[in-house]
Amino acid sequence: MYIQTHIESGHMPGAINLHYAAFLDPHTKTMRSNEQLQQLLCYKGIDLEKPIISTCGQGITACFVSLAAHLLGKKDVPVYDGSWHDWYHRAKREHIKIIE
């Protein structure tokens, strides 16, 4: 059984924050169209021509990022399965950006 210990909120340097709901059509609760997904990623400054690793607090949003990229033709977006919890405990303190 996995028991999460308390960790501070924050993000990895260079990370771009996107909530999983941004990928869903608000009416149908299904993935947005490819055109809308492309617009979302572009708006957030995500370039599908560059390497991407998706991550989040526990893996849910990360899967949406990887799925959206896959639907748009990028087949190599791994999910960092350790996510924020693992990063927080393993990274050097200067590589952790705490949200106040």
Side-chain angles (χ1 to χ4, degrees), residues 13-47:
I16 297 171
N17 187 24
L18 259 169
H19 191 272
Y20 79 90
F23 295 95
L24 300 176
D25 179 288
H27 303 292
T28 65
K29 306 297 186 220
T30 59
M31 287 294 279
R32 292 183 182 271
S33 70
N34 283 5
E35 182 179 335
Q36 291 171 319
L37 293 173
Q38 182 67 49
Q39 290 172 351
L40 172 65
L41 297 181
C42 183
Y43 174 75
K44 293 299 276 189
I46 298 171
D47 182 352

Side-chain angles (χ1 to χ4, degrees), residues 2-99:
Y2 173 74
I3 300 173
Q4 183 173 343
T5 58
H6 174 73
I7 59 174
E8 297 176 272
S9 294
H11 70 270
M12 299 168 198
I16 297 171
N17 187 24
L18 259 169
H19 191 272
Y20 79 90
F23 295 95
L24 300 176
D25 179 288
H27 303 292
T28 65
K29 306 297 186 220
T30 59
M31 287 294 279
R32 292 183 182 271
S33 70
N34 283 5
E35 182 179 335
Q36 291 171 319
L37 293 173
Q38 182 67 49
Q39 290 172 351
L40 172 65
L41 297 181
C42 183
Y43 174 75
K44 293 299 276 189
I46 298 171
D47 182 352
L48 294 177
E49 297 299 316
K50 294 182 178 178
I52 298 170
I53 298 172
S54 62
T55 186
C56 62
Q58 295 184 351
I60 296 168
T61 296
C63 290
F64 277 89
V65 173
S66 292
L67 175 58
H70 180 82
L71 292 172
L72 295 173
K74 186 165 182 71
K75 309 296 186 208
D76 60 346
V77 180
V79 172
Y80 173 30
D81 63 351
S83 294
W84 174 247
H85 187 267
D86 186 57
W87 181 265
Y88 181 85
H89 288 290
R90 300 176 91 190
K92 294 178 181 175
R93 292 293 126 200
E94 63 266 22
H95 295 149
I96 295 174
K97 224 174 167 181
I98 301 300
I99 298 173

